[in-house]
Amino acid sequence: MDFMKLSILFFMMIGTIYIFYFNDDIDYNKIYNQIENYKKTHIIKDNIKKGGILMSKERPVILGHRGYRAKFPENTILAYKKAIEFGADGVELDVQLSKDGALIIHHDDNFEKITGNTTKINDLTSKEIKKIKINGESIPTLEEVFIKLPEYVYINVEIKDVKATEMAYNTVKSFNALDRVLFSSFNIEALRILRKLDENVDLGLLIEKKEMIEKIIPLHEELNFYSINLPVEGIEMLGLEKYKTLISKLMEIGLHIVLWTLNDIETLKKLEGYFDGIITDNVETIVNYYINN
C-alpha cells in the first residue's frame, strides 16, 4: 500500500511539472498577429537610437542580481560595490516601503529569513530596520544606494511594494539619475503609476508566469515598455526554439530583452544574441566570459 501511495504521489508530481513547463497552451499565432499589427500602427525605433542603459555597451549590460549575491550579503551596499568592483555595469535591487515611509531595499516583504520574525516591512519603522544586519551589513534605503554608489552605475529598481512607486521615482529623480535607471515590476499597477508620472522613463515588464506572455503586447501598447525582463526558465517553459522565436519577434518592435537570473555559461550560449541585458548572481562568471570572448 505504501508503495502504491508513493507511486501515485510521484506521478502527480510529474503531471504538475508537465502542466507547468511543457503543456504549451500559449496562442503564438495570436501573439505574432499582435506584433504584426503593432508594426503597422507604430513607428518602430531602432534599438541603438532608442538609447537607455541597455545600449551603452558592445556586449550585453551586466547587472548584479541584488548585488554580487553569490559571494556577498544580498541587497547590501557591500554587495553592490563588489558587483561593480568585479566588472558589472550596475545592479538590480528591490524596493519596499517601511511603516514610516522609508524606501527599504529588500527582496522579501519581511525579514523572516534573517531574524525569524514574520513582521511585514510595512509594519516596521526604518529605525527598527536599521538594527537588522545581514552578516554584519545594514539594510540600505534607496537614497543610500544613490549616495554611496558611483554616478556611472546603472540601477534596475524593481518595485516590490506598489505603495513605494511614486516615492521611488521621486528619489531617483532627485539624484538626477533617471537616465541610468530602469524601473521594473511584476506589478502592473506600479508600472501604470510610473508611466503616469513620466511618459519617458524606462519601464521593464517582469515576466515569470507563462500566462503573462500573451499580455505583453497589449500592455506594451498601453505602457510603452523599454524592456521585457524574461526568466531563463522560459527555455523549459516554452522550449528553446519557441523561446528564441518569441524573443526575436519582441525585438523586432524595439523591445529590449533582459534575462534573469542568468548564472551559467551553458545557458548564456543557448540564448546568445537574444538579449540586451543580463541579471546575474555570478558576476565574475558572466563578466569573465565576455572578457575572454
Side-chain angles (χ1 to χ4, degrees), residues 2 42 66 71 81 125 132 134 148 166 175 180-181 220 222 237 264 270 283 289:
D2 289 341
H42 294 76
R66 310 178 204 168
K71 291 190 175 181
K81 287 184 174 180
T125 66
I132 299 169
I134 308 175
K148 294 183 179 181
E166 186 168 356
F175 283 92
R180 59 185 178 94
V181 166
H220 180 44
E222 176 190 353
M237 283 193 290
D264 64 278
K270 286 179 182 178
V283 172
Y289 173 79

Side-chain angles (χ1 to χ4, degrees), residues 115-162:
T115 65
N117 192 321
T118 59
T119 303
K120 301 292 187 185
I121 291 174
N122 286 160
D123 296 322
L124 294 169
T125 66
S126 54
K127 187 175 181 179
E128 290 172 317
I129 292 168
K130 276 297 175 189
K131 295 177 182 177
I132 299 169
K133 305 294 180 183
I134 308 175
N135 293 339
E137 296 296 320
S138 298
I139 292 160
T141 63
L142 186 61
E143 185 178 27
E144 286 177 292
V145 171
F146 282 94
I147 289 171
K148 294 183 179 181
L149 293 189
E151 291 185 2
Y152 58 79
V153 170
Y154 303 145
I155 300 178
N156 175 190
V157 176
E158 181 184 340
I159 305 295
K160 287 291 188 184
D161 182 346
V162 67

Side-chain angles (χ1 to χ4, degrees), residues 38 42 50 183 185-205 212 215-228 255:
Y38 184 93
H42 294 76
K50 195 172 180 182
F183 288 98
S185 189
F186 293 106
N187 189 308
I188 304 305
E189 187 54 37
L191 296 171
R192 287 189 173 120
I193 292 168
L194 286 161
R195 184 53 75 219
K196 286 178 183 177
L197 288 168
D198 190 331
E199 64 179 15
N200 296 312
V201 70
D202 288 342
L203 300 183
L205 173 64
M212 280 299 297
K215 299 178 182 179
I216 290 174
I217 301 304
L219 286 170
H220 180 44
E221 291 261 16
E222 176 190 353
L223 295 170
N224 187 25
F225 296 124
Y226 177 77
S227 68
I228 306 298
L255 286 165

